Amino acid sequence: MAANDPRPRGVNTAFWLLVVGAVMLMLGGLMAATVSVDALRQAAPATVSDEAVRDYARLYRGAGILFCVAAAALIAFAVRARARDPRSRRATVALALAIVVVVALAAVFAGTHILALLSLLPIIVGTLMLGRPALLGWYADA
């Protein structure tokens, strides 16, 4: 492939899957970051102390903010990877895999918004598409 060849369809598909996944992750993170302590207090059993509910609210909100920052970084790296930068492609893949691990661990230990969990599907598929051998050749020719 020459340097002026058009972008393969797989790159566009992977890019848009990563963008959709990042937007879903950001929306889920924003919803988690704006949860009120009163809503958590109503959902918690009466045996749970108010201090424990406030601590859980801080953890839940912090995870939501972390998800928003990670989603913004994923979009930034995906845009640069779409422009045929091999380092950005590797950074996109590494960040996407880290997001999958962190969101999965947060879901198990602290709970996350369902939208953040559903965002993992397009992120995983987009990451796998960026690692296809046919696309790696396109990046190697840059």
Side-chain angles (χ1 to χ4, degrees):
M1 289 185 178
N4 60 358
D5 283 346
R7 184 181 301 123
R9 254 177 77 174
V11 173
N12 283 332
T13 306
F15 169 77
W16 285 110
L17 281 170
L18 288 170
V19 168
V20 166
V23 168
M24 289 172 62
L25 182 63
M26 190 172 286
L27 288 175
L30 286 173
M31 288 181 185
T34 59
V35 70
S36 69
V37 176
D38 294 332
L40 290 174
R41 176 75 258 174
Q42 289 175 355
T47 58
V48 178
S49 69
D50 288 340
E51 184 62 32
V53 171
R54 280 193 295 274
D55 289 343
Y56 181 73
R58 277 189 221 110
L59 177 68
Y60 197 71
R61 289 175 182 162
I65 292 169
L66 178 71
F67 294 166
C68 290
V69 171
L74 182 63
I75 289 176
F77 282 129
V79 166
R80 290 181 56 193
R82 187 179 187 206
R84 204 171 187 171
D85 183 8
R87 291 180 304 159
S88 293
R89 183 195 60 81
R90 289 189 297 267
T92 302
V93 170
L95 181 61
L97 293 175
I99 287 172
V100 168
V101 170
V102 169
V103 171
L105 286 174
V108 170
F109 293 113
T112 58
H113 195 274
I114 189 69
L115 202 53
L117 281 176
L118 290 176
S119 72
L120 296 183
L121 295 174
I123 289 174
I124 290 170
V125 173
T127 303
L128 289 174
M129 289 187 73
L130 277 182
R132 289 181 48 215
L135 297 183
L136 294 178
W138 183 70
Y139 281 105
D141 292 338

